[in-house]
Amino acid sequence: MKILKHLAVLTIMLVFAHTLWGQAGTTGTILGTVTDTTGAVISGAPVEITNTSTGVSTKVTSTGTGDYTATNLIPGQYKVAVQMAGFSKTQVTGIILVVAQDQRVNLQLKAGAVSETIEVSASAVALDTDSSSISQIVTEHQMSQLPINGRNFTALLFVGAGAVQQSGEQGQMRSNEGNAISINGSRPESNNYTLDGLMNTDTALSTPAVILSQDAIQEFKVQSATYGAEYGFSANQVNIVSKSGGNQYHGSTFEFLRNDYMNAIPHQTINNHSTKATEWRDNQFGYVLNGPITIPKLYNGHDRTFFLANYEGRRAILGGHTSGAAPTAAELGGDFSALAALPTYDPTITLTTDPRWATSCAKRLADNLNCRPLDPVTGLPLTTIASSRFSRLAKVTAKTIPTAATDDSSGTVNWQATANSTTDTDQQTYRVDQTFQKWGQIFFRYTKADYASSNYATASLAAQANAGKNIFSENSKSWTGAYTVALPHGFVNDFRFGKLEAKALQSDSPASTADITNLGLTGVFTNLPSYAAGYPNLGFGTVNAVGAGSPGNNPTTSDIPVWEFADSVMKQWGAHSFKFGFDYRSWVQKRNLATNFLGNFGFTSSLIKGNGTGGVNG
């Protein structure tokens, strides 16, 4: 009967282990075998595993096969000690445990006095022989010592083999926050980011929803193949662990500065005739403080209660130039007298062998250049277009098109402007850890990250204040609570719950109410929220032609709140460990991709073929 009971329990554990995801492992495991000098296993040996930073100890007992396992240990430095009657005390120090690692520490007892202590230093390089996972760890030392432009931890993904940066929507929407990242050839959308064991992925962009400060990250691990069943949702796992406090106070403040006053004059190019360096002001600043929570004469949190507080901000103005081929003010006003020397379209000239081809409109169209327009009513070459003949679209959008001092019938660059982009970020993380000795451990972390950037995507910056901007903002909140406790009969339970909110908005500066009215739109287009009322987008398909109006993808919105509950149970059974559990996530993906509510209009040089023939002229 007892054997049948054990078989039933084992069957249930195996079923759950293969069919359900447990919470993504952010902790580690120290395991090993206790033997004597002859190699005989020792059962019933009391093993104590101690985190040397916090002083928190975990006590386990070796099984009948001499094996011991301590699970759900936070990453850090540990020592392992074992002491039994008739043997000297054995202690292994300097054990480095990283996230989601099974660290084997075998213990050998030597006959001797109990008062004796044999101390062994752990090897600086240890093979992970208890896991088949293919992974790359980025340690706390690397986080603090490697220089990162922008202090974005995602740059450290490239420390490992197989990670490359791609171009994609991620880089456009999160300017100066990294781009699409491919790991081992997979699509950038195949990355699943977790923070302290729970989801940290903006499912709209497949990017980290919350980008913690370097100072708030203990370490992270990238797993790309043969990882455990507790992971899912994607091909690659980026498992991030926030930093906790210890028995000693640690803190720092910082300020990083870059300024164009320290930059050289840029090299002169055809697209950049500036005689001074572009504006570049980049300030990153913040602080971090962690340690035990103590109240003099009231409470001593050493070995029990720890905290971490972190803030990081960034204020950046990153200068640049934009240029293109723009019309003159006279041409924009309808006066084409300066183009009298240009040919008009002749439908009889179609072959390059025609002697007229070299100076024809057909050749200019083949080269994506303009010709002299014809009046669609009279069929005669146009010299001027009266303002009374301007369409409603032309009357509203003319103000968004920049003008140049000289004519550009040849398609060469005749207009340029300074186009600064801005980035403002604020990140803050707070964490509290509490141990209750035999009643387990809890922690709670709260992170808030606000990101805002703007850059000019069209040439309207010179013609209409703020028009043509890409404005992107993301406001994210993440909190996680966890409770880990050792249960009777060698079971260890880890329960986590939390919420992730990531609201993103890509928009443009709105057109005025008067301009929207003058467009003559009806229905929903007259009652748009400000973020959705950017000017119509204008594109001109000729060589180097400037674009105008709202950028092509504006607006898009994303709001994906996620609630998550996860629980896992681990049991050591002889020389084997079993783990089973579940991960429940509930979210609603609310995205609005109905871009350019006020229109997207494209014009090409070939439209001139319809002039004077009854065709539609753009």
Side-chain angles (χ1 to χ4, degrees):
M1 188 67 181
K2 188 174 182 180
I3 295 177
L4 291 176
K5 180 180 178 181
H6 284 172
L7 286 175
V9 172
L10 178 59
T11 301
I12 294 173
M13 292 171 68
L14 290 175
V15 169
F16 275 90
H18 285 82
T19 61
L20 296 179
W21 285 313
Q23 59 88 16
T26 62
T27 56
T29 298
I30 294 178
L31 71 165
T33 305
V34 183
T35 62
D36 62 18
T37 54
T38 67
V41 298
I42 299 177
S43 63
V47 181
E48 183 175 22
I49 301 95
T50 304
N51 184 312
T52 56
S53 296
T54 64
V56 175
S57 296
T58 300
K59 296 179 181 180
V60 295
T61 303
S62 62
T63 65
T65 58
D67 297 293
Y68 75 93
T69 302
T71 62
N72 296 96
L73 304 174
I74 65 173
Q77 185 165 312
Y78 285 83
K79 64 179 180 180
V80 178
V82 59
Q83 185 174 19
M84 288 190 70
F87 295 94
S88 300
K89 179 180 179 180
T90 296
Q91 181 171 275
V92 181
T93 60
I95 302 165
I96 304 299
L97 181 67
V98 300
V99 57
Q101 181 189 25
D102 293 333
Q103 175 69 281
R104 175 164 289 275
V105 181
N106 292 327
L107 302 168
Q108 187 180 75
L109 294 181
K110 181 180 179 181
V114 177
S115 59
E116 286 185 325
T117 299
I118 300 174
E119 186 167 308
V120 180
S121 295
S123 172
V125 178
L127 296 177
D128 188 355
T129 59
D130 292 274
S131 172
S132 61
S133 175
I134 299 175
S135 61
Q136 173 73 36
I137 186 72
V138 177
T139 66
E140 180 184 10
H141 182 73
Q142 290 173 299
M143 292 290 300
S144 61
Q145 297 299 317
L146 290 177
I148 305 176
N149 185 14
R151 290 177 54 83
N152 185 338
F153 82 89
T154 59
L156 291 174
L157 290 173
F158 305 112
V159 171
V164 295
Q165 181 165 297
Q166 303 286 307
S167 60
E169 182 185 18
Q170 294 93 334
Q172 177 184 356
M173 297 187 74
R174 299 191 74 151
S175 176
N176 305 313
E177 286 285 340
N179 210 324
I181 298 174
S182 170
I183 299 176
N184 291 337
S186 62
R187 294 175 62 88
E189 292 81 4
S190 298
N191 299 332
N192 180 46
Y193 298 89
T194 60
L195 175 57
D196 291 330
L198 300 185
M199 181 175 175
N200 185 39
T201 304
D202 182 340
T203 56
L205 296 176
S206 298
T207 58
V210 172
I211 297 181
L212 267 67
S213 167
Q214 284 179 258
D215 297 312
I217 297 177
Q218 174 71 23
E219 59 194 27
F220 67 89
K221 192 173 191 176
V222 181
Q223 295 168 279
S224 56
T226 60
Y227 41 74
E230 62 197 292
Y231 301 95
F233 284 91
S234 210
N236 305 298
Q237 310 295 326
V238 182
N239 196 349
I240 309 159
V241 179
S242 64
K243 189 179 294 184
S244 61
N247 275 331
Q248 295 183 344
Y249 290 104
H250 296 278
S252 64
T253 61
F254 63 88
E255 161 79 18
F256 295 97
L257 167 67
R258 295 181 68 181
N259 194 291
D260 57 86
Y261 285 113
M262 296 179 282
N263 293 347
I265 296 174
H267 176 66
Q268 303 294 297
T269 68
I270 189 173
N271 294 328
N272 177 15
H273 304 288
S274 176
T275 58
K276 61 171 291 186
T278 55
E279 187 174 6
W280 189 294
R281 314 287 169 82
D282 196 346
N283 294 76
Q284 285 185 271
F285 47 89
Y287 75 90
V288 62
L289 179 65
N290 62 66
I293 295 179
T294 57
I295 303 175
K297 300 181 180 181
L298 292 178
Y299 182 75
N300 182 3
H302 285 79
D303 296 341
R304 291 184 290 178
T305 312
F306 313 97
F307 79 95
L308 174 131
N310 168 248
Y311 166 79
E312 181 171 328
R314 184 183 187 190
R315 303 292 182 267
I317 301 175
L318 309 179
H321 291 284
T322 185
S323 59
T328 64
E331 291 167 351
L332 193 59
D335 182 358
F336 296 98
S337 57
L339 303 180
L342 293 181
T344 57
Y345 179 66
D346 184 347
T348 66
I349 304 175
T350 58
L351 301 175
T352 58
T353 56
D354 190 318
R356 300 171 296 172
W357 175 265
T359 58
S360 70
C361 175
K363 181 180 185 305
R364 291 183 62 82
L365 295 181
D367 294 335
N368 270 342
L369 296 174
N370 281 323
C371 305
R372 188 179 181 188
L374 297 175
D375 190 321
V377 176
T378 66
L380 299 175
L382 270 173
T383 302
T384 60
I385 302 176
S387 60
S388 60
R389 298 181 67 180
F390 283 16
S391 67
R392 295 192 304 272
L393 175 66
K395 291 178 180 178
V396 170
T397 59
K399 68 178 72 175
T400 70
I401 302 174
T403 59
T406 59
D407 172 63
D408 181 43
S409 57
S410 63
T412 56
V413 172
N414 67 341
W415 168 88
Q416 68 168 351
T418 299
N420 292 341
S421 63
T422 63
T423 299
D424 292 345
T425 62
D426 291 284
Q427 308 168 44
Q428 48 188 317
T429 295
Y430 307 97
R431 173 167 170 158
V432 176
D433 290 73
Q434 173 70 50
T435 179
F436 300 106
Q437 301 303 328
K438 67 177 182 179
W439 301 110
Q441 305 169 38
I442 64 172
F443 83 82
F444 180 82
R445 176 198 47 78
Y446 173 82
T447 300
K448 185 176 187 296
D450 297 313
Y451 169 87
S453 72
S454 67
N455 60 78
Y456 284 100
T458 72
S460 292
L461 76 162
Q464 177 75 4
N466 290 325
K469 263 189 176 182
N470 256 330
I471 302 174
F472 181 76
S473 63
E474 184 167 32
N475 305 106
S476 303
K477 295 179 182 177
S478 167
W479 59 264
T480 299
Y483 177 45
T484 303
V485 62
L487 302 175
H489 307 296
F491 288 91
V492 177
N493 190 83
D494 184 74
F495 174 73
R496 301 188 181 220
F497 67 99
K499 185 178 183 182
L500 171 66
E501 296 180 87
K503 296 181 180 180
L505 172 64
Q506 182 178 355
S507 63
D508 184 19
S509 298
S512 67
T513 302
D515 284 341
I516 295 176
T517 300
N518 291 335
L519 282 173
L521 302 176
T522 59
V524 296
F525 300 103
T526 60
N527 190 30
L528 295 171
S530 61
Y531 67 81
Y535 279 92
N537 175 259
L538 304 177
F540 303 95
T542 54
V543 176
N544 290 323
V546 297
S550 175
N553 286 332
N554 294 343
T556 60
T557 66
S558 174
D559 181 10
I560 309 173
V562 182
W563 281 97
E564 184 171 5
F565 300 85
D567 191 82
S568 64
V569 179
M570 180 172 283
K571 166 67 176 176
Q572 180 73 19
W573 201 317
H576 304 282
S577 295
F578 297 90
K579 187 175 185 180
F580 59 95
F582 70 90
D583 186 336
Y584 173 79
R585 306 181 185 187
S586 174
W587 74 83
V588 177
Q589 189 174 75
K590 296 176 285 186
R591 296 200 72 191
N592 188 339
L593 304 178
T595 61
N596 294 98
F597 286 97
L598 297 187
N600 190 348
F601 301 88
F603 303 88
T604 65
S605 57
S606 61
L607 289 172
I608 206 168
K609 294 179 180 180
N611 285 1
T613 63
V616 177
N617 178 26

